Amino acid sequence: MEEKSEHLALSERKKQTDNEDQQDMQDTSATQNLVDSTDHFSWEEQGCLCSFVPKRYMVTFLAMFGFFNAYALRVNLSVAMVAMVNNVTKFGHSLETEDVAEFNWDTKLQGLVLGSFFFGYITTQIPGGFLASKYGGKSLFGGGILLASILTMLTPVATRRSVSWLIALRILEGIAQGVIYSSNHAVMSRWAPVLERSKMVALSTSGAFIGTLFTMPVSGILVKMYGWPAVFYFFGILGILWSCLWFFMVTNSPREHPKISRKELNYIERSLKGESETEVGT
């Protein structure tokens, strides 16, 4: 009896191992088919904004500039505040003049103003994921940055009214921007083929670093040439213009896009379908 039980156990383990090997071969074959399928598409065949850029890359680049704007709106106050609260001494023609700062905020209040953005930002991180999965990432991503852009343009008015208004406005900006990462992932989950997903997500979020790098020196130049309110008007208008492009040129999924080519659509959908079948198989 013991020998028979051992024989049955060995047979069962061998059968299980064979099934696992067969599943691995199927997964490898599915992945290879996806790789091979990309070889049949030229840049022109995959649907283009012009004759070179496929629609999925157009969405990725627009998302990158969305993050660019989001971080520009986030950090511009850090530079503008230097001119808002510090006296400036000017020298010229042997004369020394001092421009008195418009606001007399101590360092504690300055820290509260700068940190107030994150009081709102933290509140919409998790809800943003649920909203993006239910309503789609396009509206949430574009709407969040559009709202933050409008609020940024209102910053000079709110600041001159009272510091409490400025803090409230920055909290609202944080709430608006708290959804951008989760909504971007929702967009990429439908637009990015399996083998390109890491590249497209990394490229889109790289706009955050580019935006920060760009905003710091440009804000300083704007403050010097036109005064601190110009910083908020400039980046606010930039964000609104980007939002118009985003809503006009991006859809929640490739199938909803009116100008995507059939071949690019089939490639994306076949890739995502292959991924879902692989997950079910495992």
Side-chain angles (χ1 to χ4, degrees):
M1 289 293 292
E2 292 181 358
E3 292 180 357
K4 186 175 181 180
S5 298
E6 291 178 0
H7 180 71
L8 290 174
L10 288 172
S11 299
E12 187 66 27
R13 282 198 295 270
K14 186 176 184 302
K15 183 178 180 181
Q16 183 178 358
T17 301
D18 292 341
N19 289 337
E20 290 176 353
D21 291 342
Q22 185 178 4
Q23 183 63 47
D24 290 341
M25 291 177 64
Q26 291 176 353
D27 293 345
T28 302
S29 177
T31 302
Q32 186 61 45
N33 288 337
L34 287 175
V35 174
D36 294 341
S37 67
T38 62
D39 296 336
H40 299 293
F41 298 97
S42 65
W43 286 86
E44 290 79 6
E45 289 174 328
Q46 294 185 39
C48 307
L49 174 62
C50 54
S51 59
F52 302 103
V53 184
K55 292 295 182 286
R56 63 186 184 277
Y57 295 150
M58 179 196 72
V59 171
T60 302
F61 280 112
L62 282 173
M64 182 185 73
F65 283 110
F67 277 101
F68 174 98
N69 281 288
Y71 274 73
L73 299 171
R74 182 183 304 191
V75 305
N76 56 15
L77 180 60
S78 302
V79 179
M81 185 175 286
V82 176
M84 294 164 66
V85 302
N86 291 336
N87 296 339
V88 178
T89 302
K90 296 181 178 180
F91 301 93
H93 302 291
S94 301
L95 296 176
E96 180 179 325
T97 59
E98 184 175 40
D99 291 344
V100 179
E102 191 168 346
F103 306 101
N104 185 24
W105 299 341
D106 59 25
T107 54
K108 184 177 180 180
L109 184 55
Q110 292 177 42
L112 179 61
V113 170
L114 292 173
S116 58
F117 174 92
F118 297 97
F119 297 155
Y121 188 73
I122 196 173
T123 62
T124 49
Q125 296 290 310
I126 296 176
F130 289 107
L131 292 172
S133 62
K134 185 173 182 179
Y135 300 107
K138 171 194 169 181
S139 298
L140 207 60
F141 189 78
I145 297 176
L146 175 61
L147 178 57
S149 300
I150 295 172
L151 292 171
T152 295
M153 293 191 67
L154 295 175
T155 298
V157 176
T159 305
R160 285 168 172 159
R161 186 173 182 87
S162 77
V163 69
S164 299
W165 279 64
L166 174 60
I167 291 172
L169 185 144
R170 291 290 292 181
I171 291 174
L172 291 176
E173 280 191 48
I175 292 173
Q177 287 203 32
V179 301
I180 62 173
Y181 275 96
S182 54
S183 56
N184 179 61
H185 289 314
V187 172
M188 292 300 159
S189 68
R190 297 185 179 184
W191 272 96
V194 176
L195 301 178
E196 300 179 20
R197 184 168 298 162
S198 59
K199 175 176 64 178
M200 290 173 63
V201 172
L203 184 60
S204 65
T205 55
S206 68
F209 309 105
I210 300 171
T212 302
L213 184 65
F214 175 84
T215 303
M216 292 295 186
V218 171
S219 295
I221 294 171
L222 289 171
V223 168
K224 184 177 181 179
M225 294 180 64
Y226 305 108
W228 65 265
V231 174
F232 304 104
Y233 296 138
F234 176 80
F235 288 107
I237 292 173
L238 198 64
I240 291 172
L241 292 176
W242 170 87
S243 299
C244 294
L245 286 175
W246 175 263
F247 284 116
F248 179 72
M249 301 178 71
V250 174
T251 57
N252 280 316
S253 67
R255 183 162 289 277
E256 297 175 19
H257 202 289
K259 295 184 179 180
I260 191 172
S261 72
R262 175 59 58 182
K263 288 188 176 181
E264 184 182 9
L265 176 62
N266 289 340
Y267 167 54
I268 295 172
E269 291 187 339
R270 190 162 61 242
S271 173
L272 298 179
K273 182 180 179 182
E275 179 190 36
S276 62
E277 289 177 350
T278 301
E279 290 177 351
V280 171
T282 56

